[in-house]
Amino acid sequence: MDVRSDRLRNFFSKHDRAYRIKKEVRDMVVFAIQNVITDPPFSKIDLVSCRNLLIYMKSELQKKILPIFHYSLTKGGFLFLGTSETVGEFSDMFAPVDRKWKVFRRKDSEAAAVIPLELGPRAMAVPAMMLPEPRAARPYKHTNQELIEQMMLDTYPASGLLVNEKADILYFHGLTGRYLHPPVGEASFNALAMARQGLKIALANSIRKAASSKEMVRVDNLRMRLRGEEAILNLIVKPIQEPPSKRGLLAVIFEDVGRLAPELVLPTSDQGDESAQVRIREMEHQLATTKEYLQTTIEELETSNEELKSTNEELQSANEELQSTNEELETAKEEQQSVNEELITVSSELQQKIDALSKSNDDMTNLLARTQIGTIFLDTKLNIQRFTPMAKKIIHLIDSDIGRSVRDMAHNLQYDRMLEDAGEVLRTLNSKEIEVRSKSGTWYTMHILPYRTTQNIIEGVVVTFLDITDRKQAEMLVRESEQRYRSIGRLTAAVWTCTPHGQLTYLSDGFKKLFGYSAEDRDGKKWLEIIGISPTERGLEKVLSDWKKCNESGAVWNHTFTARDRSGKDRPMIARVAAVKDDGDEITSWVGVNIDATELQEMTRPCIESPQ
């Protein structure tokens, strides 16, 4: 055992095979169940030991608990955390005592006073007997406004700031807009980010000096760019010593001089030399300030480098400690309970994912059923993995066929190369598209393409069947219509089509025979241009006017006129033009038939001159 024999004898009593602590010792210790999240916190505690608890909490919960620990500790009390835990962003509440063992001391932080302690309902029902006795009135706490204003009234009639050691502004006094301006981009209340040109380096150097030495720092005759002009000011940074609650803050004071100090003006008759000497003095002063700033920065970087090295060593040591702690955690009851809770959480998340997967599976099943597309999923051995209800009409499948080879399945397609084509797609990874017909006369477009996983792994092929019977029938009707159309074109004298605006889109073979124009001659021309109306035609304007009216109204146009063919010969012509309209009664094109009236007269003459 880890307990010495004398301690066992003095503080423990033996019961069977175990030891129990004596009642005298137990009476000296108060045991209480405490929920650090919902219960009211204890106060005036010298030591809070919270090891390996925060690592099981999210950052939001840690941010609530650490201010409660700060409230519970007495002034100068200690916080003892686990080797893998830290106070994080609450460095203004706790000062490190031993970084290796994670021991921190409570700091008198003004920020902690404004952090709300979110307590549960149990905190609202504290018995009167547990309430602390009334204390003497606390000393008056000076506000930032009172502090900086009192300092300005007592010492300097100037503008200034109240900042912390990081140069974050806590209070503005006077017209500080002459020295500060808002930075471009994300809002910031850092004095260094807001300082105007010529002031930033001196301000940063002075704040660092005053914070480290705890003494006032003064920089006289500092040049600064202000609204395109140079202004001269004295910069004073003074650490706050009283009251104690404000220690660590700094007062930054701006004294507006407006001109060079007398000691920098050299008495000489030559104004040019005088100006040059003054400028040299100023540049030397600025150079010295810059060197000092750079030297301070270098020292800080070296210090930070040493701290990083030390932190790295601490992290390595902490890593070794974590390994041994991990072994201890495996045997501890508290750790087992935590693992059990984590398993419950993981199980809950897994159940949610299973439910989501089941929902997605149902959505996919309904989607495939609603698309009316027959789909078969095959693995790399061309065994059936899944199929949609529509596929049952094409290939004779039942639910028990899953896992069987597609080669054993019967189908009603007039096509026997499905197995070979699926194997070819699996080998070449090139998809195939084939139009196939069933024995009942239904047409399908069959797509065969590789089945790829989200990791781009080929795990089989997908065969889909899309019913295109309506499209095939429409194509057949179109072909029949075209054949009829062309037959009519060959039988009649001249057949042509044009757009709603009159541009020719088709000329039949009979048109070439009648007028001498072929399909190559129609590009960009209107039918009245290529079928030229003879200039000798009487009522030419009426012909054109009637066609224009029909073109606007969509009525059938019938007219007899004299047309002139390509050779210049005039022919009496009978024209009949009808509009082609869509479902919305809009004209999509015009179809015209022209007949040579001369041939028609010759065809009808024997009938007219036959004896009575």
Side-chain angles (χ1 to χ4, degrees), residues 207-395:
I207 290 177
R208 289 191 182 94
K209 280 186 177 180
S212 59
S213 64
K214 305 300 180 183
E215 296 180 357
M216 185 182 72
V217 177
R218 182 185 182 95
V219 180
D220 293 330
N221 299 316
L222 181 63
R223 282 184 173 271
M224 179 188 69
R225 298 293 299 177
L226 180 62
R227 299 182 180 89
E229 299 179 355
E230 288 189 349
I232 304 173
L233 72 151
N234 297 333
L235 175 65
I236 302 170
V237 180
K238 184 177 180 181
I240 303 297
Q241 301 297 337
E242 295 295 335
S245 61
K246 301 294 183 179
R247 289 177 184 174
L249 303 182
L250 303 166
V252 180
I253 304 168
F254 304 108
E255 288 185 347
D256 191 4
V257 177
R259 57 185 180 85
L260 290 174
E263 61 271 20
L264 294 180
V265 181
L266 301 179
T268 176
S269 60
D270 193 313
Q271 295 299 327
D273 293 342
E274 178 183 359
S275 177
Q277 291 294 332
V278 172
R279 186 60 179 167
I280 290 173
R281 286 285 186 88
E282 294 173 357
M283 294 178 66
E284 289 177 351
H285 179 71
Q286 293 177 3
L287 180 60
T289 303
T290 305
K291 286 182 178 180
E292 186 176 0
Y293 174 75
L294 291 176
Q295 182 64 31
T296 303
T297 304
I298 292 172
E299 293 175 357
E300 291 180 353
L301 289 175
E302 291 177 351
T303 304
S304 299
N305 190 29
E306 293 296 331
E307 292 179 355
L308 288 175
K309 290 181 180 179
S310 175
T311 303
N312 186 37
E313 294 175 358
E314 293 176 1
L315 289 175
Q316 292 178 353
S317 175
N319 187 34
E320 297 175 358
E321 295 173 2
L322 283 174
Q323 293 178 357
S324 64
T325 303
N326 187 37
E327 297 176 359
E328 297 175 0
L329 293 175
E330 293 177 355
T331 59
K333 180 180 180 180
E334 295 81 4
E335 306 302 331
Q336 291 177 354
Q337 180 63 28
S338 176
V339 171
N340 185 40
E341 294 175 357
E342 292 179 1
L343 288 176
I344 293 174
T345 303
V346 172
S347 177
S348 177
E349 293 177 353
L350 181 59
Q351 184 61 42
Q352 293 177 359
K353 292 182 178 180
I354 291 175
D355 294 340
L357 181 60
S358 178
K359 180 67 168 56
S360 299
N361 188 37
D362 294 339
D363 293 343
M364 182 61 66
T365 301
N366 284 275
L367 175 63
L368 293 176
R370 294 287 295 175
T371 54
Q372 296 297 311
I373 298 176
T375 307
I376 304 175
F377 298 89
L378 307 177
D379 61 12
T380 54
K381 296 181 181 180
L382 302 183
N383 294 328
I384 299 173
Q385 297 298 305
R386 189 175 182 179
F387 55 85
T388 63
M390 189 65 184
K392 297 179 181 180
K393 300 179 181 180
I394 305 169
I395 298 178

Side-chain angles (χ1 to χ4, degrees), residues 137 490 498 568:
R490 288 193 296 269
C498 68

